[in-house]
Amino acid sequence: MRHLFLFTISFLLLFNISCSKDDDNSNSTENTPAGEAVFQATIDGDTYSNYDFTLGVYEVVRGNNGNTLSINVGDRNGEMVSLFLNGTNGFSSGTVKEMGDVDTDNFRTFATVRRSNPLTTFFSTNGNVTITTNREHPSETGHRLLSGTFNITAATSDGSTSLTLAGSFTELDFVE
């Protein structure tokens, strides 16, 4: 249990550091207007959310000098999904990111799912994220729109409970 606590604290610190004021806050976008961005997922067959971002928030952060990408989604109930993508093969349309892959900067591609009731955190064990589209935003200079799909298996740190996470994200806005 101590290892789970330490890992959770480390993850939250990493997440907090990636979102700190030391980063260029223009690297993230939150609460995109309804109808533009969508994040859909099922967790073990149950709908996680069908976001229009009136009920939740998302953030896409470029880190490590643009060599990593983190997609973080949360709702009012405390449910959270984070997809951390390392720099292997970049972020172009058609790129597949494998869970557990380690890039040349020693960043690992992974996913976490935090369920709120009961409070449980799951860490990816296998699966992938496919970037289907990464295109220029049609009206915001320096912004991009990211779309993709994911199919991931995750488990608690002790391996006692696992889940499947599958879904897609469409038109998530982020600063290049």
Side-chain angles (χ1 to χ4, degrees):
M1 191 62 149
R2 178 175 167 81
H3 293 287
L4 171 61
F5 177 75
L6 291 175
F7 185 81
T8 302
I9 294 300
S10 298
F11 173 76
L12 292 174
L13 285 172
L14 177 63
F15 181 77
N16 188 39
I17 289 168
S18 72
C19 299
S20 72
K21 292 196 183 269
D22 292 337
D23 285 341
D24 178 0
N25 285 338
S26 65
N27 286 342
S28 65
T29 302
E30 297 182 24
N31 292 324
T32 296
E36 183 174 320
V38 177
F39 184 94
Q40 298 175 328
T42 58
I43 299 176
D44 285 341
D46 293 330
T47 300
Y48 168 71
S49 188
N50 188 351
Y51 278 93
D52 65 8
F53 295 102
T54 59
L55 300 176
V57 62
Y58 84 96
E59 174 181 59
V60 177
V61 178
R62 293 287 304 254
N64 190 34
N65 296 322
N67 292 329
T68 62
L69 192 67
S70 182
I71 301 168
N72 306 295
V73 181
D75 68 13
R76 292 183 189 178
N77 297 322
E79 304 281 323
M80 184 179 83
V81 173
S82 292
L83 306 173
F84 182 82
L85 310 177
N86 70 16
T88 301
N89 299 321
F91 305 101
S92 299
S93 301
T95 301
V96 177
K97 301 291 189 173
E98 296 292 334
M99 295 296 113
D101 176 68
V102 178
D103 68 9
T104 57
D105 292 324
N106 291 319
F107 288 105
R108 179 179 308 271
T109 291
F110 68 91
T112 58
V113 177
R114 188 180 89 183
R115 305 298 308 259
S116 62
N117 191 16
L119 183 58
T120 310
T121 303
F122 298 83
F123 307 96
S124 57
T125 55
N126 62 46
N128 62 60
V129 175
T130 301
I131 298 171
T132 56
T133 307
N134 183 346
R135 66 183 183 93
E136 280 186 45
H137 194 291
S139 60
E140 295 289 329
T141 303
H143 286 241
R144 300 198 62 83
L145 297 174
L146 188 70
S147 299
T149 60
F150 50 90
N151 191 348
I152 299 165
T153 301
T156 54
S157 63
D158 65 3
S160 64
T161 308
S162 64
L163 59 76
T164 58
L165 172 69
S168 64
F169 48 92
T170 307
E171 304 287 288
L172 299 184
D173 181 355
F174 71 98
V175 174
E176 196 164 15

